[in-house]
Amino acid sequence: MLDIAEEAVRLASADARAARRLATEALESGDAETRSVAERALGLAAVELGRVGDAVAHLRRAVALGDKRRAAEARMSLALALTLQGDTADALAALDEAEPALEGHLRARVQGQRALILQKLGRLDEALRGYRSPLRAHRRAGDTLWEARLLCNRGVLQVYRGALSAAEADLARAEELHESIGQALAATQVRHNRGWAAARSGDVPAALAWFDRVEAEYRAHEVPLALLLMDRCEVLLSARLAAEAKANADAAVVELAAAGLGADLAEARLLAAHAELLAGDTTAARAHAVRADQAFTRQHRPGWAALARAAAAHAAWLEAERAAPEAVAGADERQARLEDALGTAQRAVRSLEAVGWEVEALDARLIAGRAALALGRPRVARRQLELAAAGRDRGPVQVRTRAWHATALVRLARGDRRGASAAVAAGLRALEAHRMTLGATELRAHASGHGEELATLGLRLAVESGSAWRVLVAAERRRAAGLLRRPARPPDDEALARDLQELRRVTAALEAGLREGGVETELRRRQAALERAVRRHALQARGEARVAAGAAGRALGARVGGAPR
């Protein structure tokens, strides 16, 4: 029975359901040591099946039943489950208690687990150092399973550090090692991480191909799909594929709600709100955003709650814009919706600024300003828009384009149509100048449509001017703004690709910090500096391409006796 229980432990990451069957058999007829090992196997299987609460209960029983060594092994596994629950302090305490009772490669496993927890705490340099010694120990001992696990964890860490080549090497080797020892499910989980790494590098087709493969393999193993669906939804949102993003978000919401995983469910609802905004269903978007806000508030996650309020404000504004102003009933409805949009946006501004979401706060101020203008409240509108307009000459392009939009609205409210048109043009020039950064910094789908919104205002002003020439120019600008989309693959220029990868890393780190309530001033400066570097490289690459094209044309002309001009 002890051999069966130990086989169940080994099998947990390869075939969780088979491991559970073996562990149950051993649990029913074994002695205390066997039952301890069996409970550990049941806990590890529960982790693989997404039932972390059950895992913690099994692993605590394994600790209670085991002798000194078995209890230490169970504590090591318990630390993993506690980490997944977000209880990193208790996880580190469990490892501290386990380490003295273990030797050799078992102690190395504890050290690797500690490095993983440090990684989840954002202490990336410490974690990277912490992986070195246990990785050498696993290789010396021929412990292929744990070598593969550590390489997978380190690969994820390298993605967060922006070292994508090192990450790919670690993940590819981890996948190979898991395959070599029959750890099929673990190999699939590594492939999931490879898809996520491809998404972080800006390679949308590769990311989606990995995710499609992983989904089929997860289904074969009867593993929950929610986290995969959420990862895929984010990629689809970045590519503005509304229907596909909505389908993935909805499926994740259903699965997480059934599993009772409240923290992930709230995040899935926020993704669903963004997908519905992109699809144009403002009612569904508002419902998801409100429920996400309520959940984040209960969970004491103000950074996330502020994002949900921003999505609700965006939905409220779109609803107000679409309300028919013609009939009396329609006018009353539009008035009510504008009041709602104004109040929702003002609440969102306060929440967003409190936790440092600068770009999202500007979006909310633009909504509040436009709603106030439509309601005939110029003083309220001017206050919101002038605050938003202050950033037109500083910071990342996301800030400047929104600030120029606010400037255009302020000037238009004063009757300065020429000045408003100039502000629109300045905002679109800033956006065009940094077109290569799109997808690296515009991580939410509705944000990446901001250029079209600005260009639409410019077209409206041109039409009202009565100048056919201005209408043609504005229409062309609007068409160009509609083409400003995230590139599907990284650029061929290596230096430019590296800068974009680093920009994505910095932007993701900035957003992660803001979600958890931090104010990341240094990361903001780094983001703006990287945008400038990307623009320089893009201009240089474009210039070299023009020179090469000209040289090719001259050579062709020489061969054929002169090319026509």
Side-chain angles (χ1 to χ4, degrees), residues 42-98:
L42 288 169
L44 290 170
V47 166
E48 299 297 338
L49 294 169
R51 299 168 185 164
V52 181
D54 291 346
V56 170
H58 283 300
L59 292 166
R60 290 197 188 282
R61 285 197 289 271
V63 170
L65 287 165
D67 59 17
K68 184 178 180 181
R69 182 171 72 88
R70 296 296 189 185
E73 291 175 348
R75 286 191 178 95
M76 182 171 58
S77 300
L78 175 62
L80 170 64
L82 290 170
T83 301
L84 293 173
Q85 274 193 331
D87 192 350
T88 52
D90 280 356
L92 288 170
L95 292 177
D96 288 343
E97 200 167 350

Side-chain angles (χ1 to χ4, degrees), residues 149-179:
R149 285 175 174 171
L150 258 66
L151 284 171
C152 180
N153 293 338
R154 192 175 72 175
V156 171
L157 181 151
Q158 296 287 27
V159 173
Y160 283 122
R161 294 180 69 247
L164 294 178
S165 296
E168 177 59 21
D170 277 350
L171 292 171
R173 180 58 178 159
E175 181 186 3
E176 180 184 342
L177 290 173
H178 278 306
E179 292 281 15

